Amino acid sequence: MRVLLRRFSRAYGAAPHQPLLVLGAFALTAYVVVLLVPDSSFTRMLVWFLAAVVLHDLVLFPVYAGADRLLRAGARRGRTAVGWVNHVRVPVLGSALLLLVFLPGIIRQGEFTYYAATGQTQQPFLGRWLLLTAAMFALSALWYLVRVMRSRHLGVGRDGN
Amino acid sequence: MCRAAVFQLDASYRAVGASPPPELGSARLAPREETRRDPWEELPFGAPAGAWRLLARLRPSGVRRSRMWRSPLRGPWLTSVFGAVLLVTLPLVTITGLLSYIAYGPQFGQAFPREVGWLRLPAFDWPTSPAWLYVLNQGTHVILGLVLIPVVLAKLWSVVPKLLEWPPARSPAKVLERLALLLLVGGVLFEIVTGVLNIQYDYVFGFSFYTAHYFGAWVFIAGFVVHVALKIPRMLAALRSRSPRSVLRTTRAETRPEPLDSTGLVAAEPAAPTMSRRGALGLVGAGSLLLGVLSIGQVVGGPARRAALLLPRGRSYGSGPNDFQVNRTAEAAGIDPADTEESWRLVLRSRNGTSRFFRGELLGMPQHTATLPIACVEGWATTQRWTGVRLRELAVLAGVPEPTWARVSSIETVGAFRAATLQSNQVLDPDALLALRVNDVDLALDHGYPARVIVPALPGVHNTKWVRDIEFGSD
């Protein structure tokens, strides 16, 4: 029996409990699909489900990885005594994160439902996001300045964290 | 190839202005030839081995792991740190989400989606104490969900080499596992996207939020359970591979890649680090903190509310007694102010018959004041001082002193929440009110004038506004 199991594991590529777990998960998912198929917006949900993965893996990730590559290339060219890459990265990432999460308010999407729910408009959000972005860049620049001064003072300045 | 890789690494260290770590010096090149072998490339093939081997050989040009993924930070330890954080926190988000479904009262058919087949949750009477129970539940669900977004993104970043690895599978097991990963990644992203849109009242997706978020959660749970069960041993081993303290002490210049192993996460030809591991962890933590600071205010309220700069419920309505968060305006609900004036009557129904009360009569009854929160499923809350008639006294007036349920209906004729059924404990709680006043003044129309329900720990939308009638039952 044990030999048989070991042989199975080798041919299949994992221990025997793996297929049980995975197939269990597929069964649950299939059940969810069966429940949802009669829903008139099932296709929409499916599209959003798959789009979430595709947009992350094939749009969001390549965009930020590519931007970072450009940034690093720029850093190699414009080298300074005190590394500045992370002083750009951090505020850019902070700002992008806020844009990503709070996009509806910032671009005023869903204006009607927003107004119905709150009795207010989304007017201030774009400005606030820009101010937050500006603040993050300013703090980062200030911190960079401090590091430059300190490195001049101490005569060292290489580590970038 | 290996020799070239080491030189390249050396060169890239110099390029970013750092000296290469001593272990990459040429004196130790010879033994490194051995250690730079890529154990991932040498993983065994399952059956049928010939087919998998052929697939491996059909590598599309350009898909070269070593060239595409260069970050020296990626590796099983870093992935496991993110994994461990999510392992503890995502179940909290999931459980509070499911609890919220129960709080809506599925036993009365008022939790959405209504038809859930065998995915029915155990129904129990949602408690009325502590009064902030639903604030805590939804605050945890929404704020923790938001705070975890950077962690989820970082986790996905750390494993992205697996997405395009070649061959994509070496055995039937791997094929199934990868498909199961689609449930996990799709599930978590779908829940994040629908949740984030919902709390901002953006219904661009065009399907029922409740249905999608509920069933999406089950798909996520399926993927999550499988992933955790299969990866926990590897996660624990990876976490033991280095001490957090040593990571926190390591500067960027001293940062080394994790040892190349069979996980396929570590870069085969790592570039020089531009950030330390502690820096990367700090960056993710800072992202979480940023989202936390910008959202917690809409849960705790008070002066902290102003910190929720980018969320709907961080805004002020003014400083008057009725200037607090409105959930659905009277205008949106189609309330005709004329229906709320002198002609308005509260109708109490039961098997014993129907009785009507005008607002003056209600104000003449014993008044009770309670400070209670309205907490919304969207993770915001506002706590106010409400005054009105106890629901249990209205039940006595209706001739049903021990009701098992009460159905409250609104003047509103269109919305999904124009009526709600309350459990026995929600009617009998001494702080459960038909509120007529708030903060010592009459309710504003947007807050439900002439009368609204307010019950401790009840989901916000079930605190029916513009109440028209209440039916008490004891069956």
Side-chain angles (χ1 to χ4, degrees), chain B residues 407-420:
Chain B
R407 177 127 184 110
V408 184
S409 307
S410 170
I411 298 174
E412 187 185 350
T413 53
V414 282
F417 297 104
R418 61 182 186 272

Side-chain angles (χ1 to χ4, degrees), chain A residues 11-12 18 21 29 31 44 49 53 64 69 79 86 89 101 109 113-114 116-118 120-121 128 158 161, chain B residues 15 17 47 118 171-173 176 183 186 196 200-202 205 252 274-275 278 309 312 315-317 326 328-329:
Chain A
Y12 172 70
Q18 191 259 22
L21 276 165
T29 307
Y31 182 66
R44 246 171 196 280
F49 188 92
V53 181
Y64 77 73
R69 203 164 275 203
R79 234 171 70 200
N86 291 329
R89 260 184 188 161
V101 173
Q109 196 171 249
T113 39
Y114 186 100
T118 65
Q120 294 176 325
T121 69
R128 288 178 180 183
R158 265 206 324 245
N161 48 62
Chain B
W118 289 338
S171 62
L176 286 188
L183 308 184
V196 160
Q200 297 177 79
Y201 307 106
D202 181 2
F205 40 72
R252 190 203 65 176
T274 53
M275 188 179 278
R278 65 180 182 190
L309 287 170
R315 300 188 58 193
S316 159
Y317 283 78
V326 173
R328 197 165 155 79
T329 60

Side-chain angles (χ1 to χ4, degrees), chain B residues 42-300:
Chain B
E42 290 162 17
L43 285 173
F45 290 101
W52 297 114
R53 215 166 274 136
L54 178 68
L55 180 68
R57 245 178 273 137
L58 292 176
R59 183 200 305 271
S61 63
V63 181
R64 282 274 306 276
R65 196 158 86 77
S66 52
R67 287 290 146 78
M68 290 166 72
W69 316 112
R70 307 289 297 271
S71 169
L73 298 189
R74 283 200 185 95
W77 183 82
L78 191 69
T79 295
S80 297
V81 170
F82 295 137
V85 171
L86 295 173
L87 174 63
V88 174
T89 47
L90 282 178
L92 271 175
V93 180
T94 311
I95 290 167
T96 46
L98 295 175
L99 282 175
S100 175
Y101 181 88
I102 295 172
Y104 267 67
Q107 68 271 40
F108 301 124
Q110 56 187 9
F112 300 109
R114 273 199 199 95
E115 298 302 326
V116 294
W118 289 338
L119 300 179
R120 189 169 305 286
L121 296 169
F124 56 84
D125 276 359
W126 186 253
T128 54
S129 165
W132 41 264
L133 182 65
Y134 197 67
V135 180
L136 179 71
N137 193 79
Q138 280 322 95
T140 307
H141 183 72
V142 173
I143 308 302
L144 191 55
L146 285 172
V147 160
L148 290 180
I149 290 174
V151 186
V152 169
L153 292 177
K155 175 79 161 53
L156 291 175
W157 172 84
S158 78
V159 296
V160 79
K162 308 294 291 172
L163 178 70
L164 294 177
E165 70 187 4
W166 198 273
R170 292 163 186 264
S171 62
K174 205 71 206 170
V175 175
L176 286 188
E177 198 183 316
R178 293 193 79 121
L179 283 173
L181 275 178
L182 178 67
L183 308 184
L184 176 71
V185 179
V188 76
L189 293 177
F190 184 78
E191 292 300 275
I192 288 176
V193 169
T194 49
V196 160
L197 288 172
N198 181 62
I199 63 169
Q200 297 177 79
Y201 307 106
D202 181 2
Y203 300 102
V204 61
F205 40 72
F207 42 72
S208 155
F209 164 74
Y210 287 98
T211 304
H213 207 63
Y214 185 80
F215 287 116
W218 284 103
V219 175
F220 164 73
I221 290 169
F224 185 75
V225 167
V226 169
H227 191 66
V228 168
L230 296 180
K231 298 292 188 186
I232 254 196
R234 192 171 265 191
M235 183 192 85
L236 293 175
L239 287 177
R240 279 194 290 264
S241 72
R242 57 183 62 211
S243 81
R245 198 175 295 172
S246 75
V247 171
L248 292 182
R249 277 208 212 102
T250 307
T251 63
R252 190 203 65 176
E254 297 161 344
T255 299
R256 302 284 170 274
E258 292 183 48
L260 205 51
D261 67 357
S262 61
T263 59
L265 294 173
V266 183
E269 296 171 21
T274 53
M275 188 179 278
S276 61
R277 240 172 231 106
R278 65 180 182 190
L281 292 176
L283 183 62
V284 176
S288 291
L289 188 69
L290 180 65
L291 289 179
V293 167
L294 288 179
S295 51
I296 189 73
Q298 68 165 5
V299 183
V300 298

Side-chain angles (χ1 to χ4, degrees), chain A residues 76-129:
Chain A
R76 274 198 291 277
R77 211 161 293 163
R79 234 171 70 200
T80 48
V82 178
W84 51 266
V85 173
N86 291 329
H87 291 272
V88 177
R89 260 184 188 161
V90 172
V92 167
L93 278 175
S95 172
L97 178 69
L98 296 185
L99 181 66
L100 187 72
V101 173
F102 301 113
L103 187 69
I106 292 169
I107 64 168
R108 294 207 211 179
Q109 196 171 249
E111 243 174 328
F112 178 76
T113 39
Y114 186 100
Y115 179 72
T118 65
Q120 294 176 325
T121 69
Q122 295 154 304
Q123 184 270 330
F125 296 128
L126 172 63
R128 288 178 180 183
W129 172 68

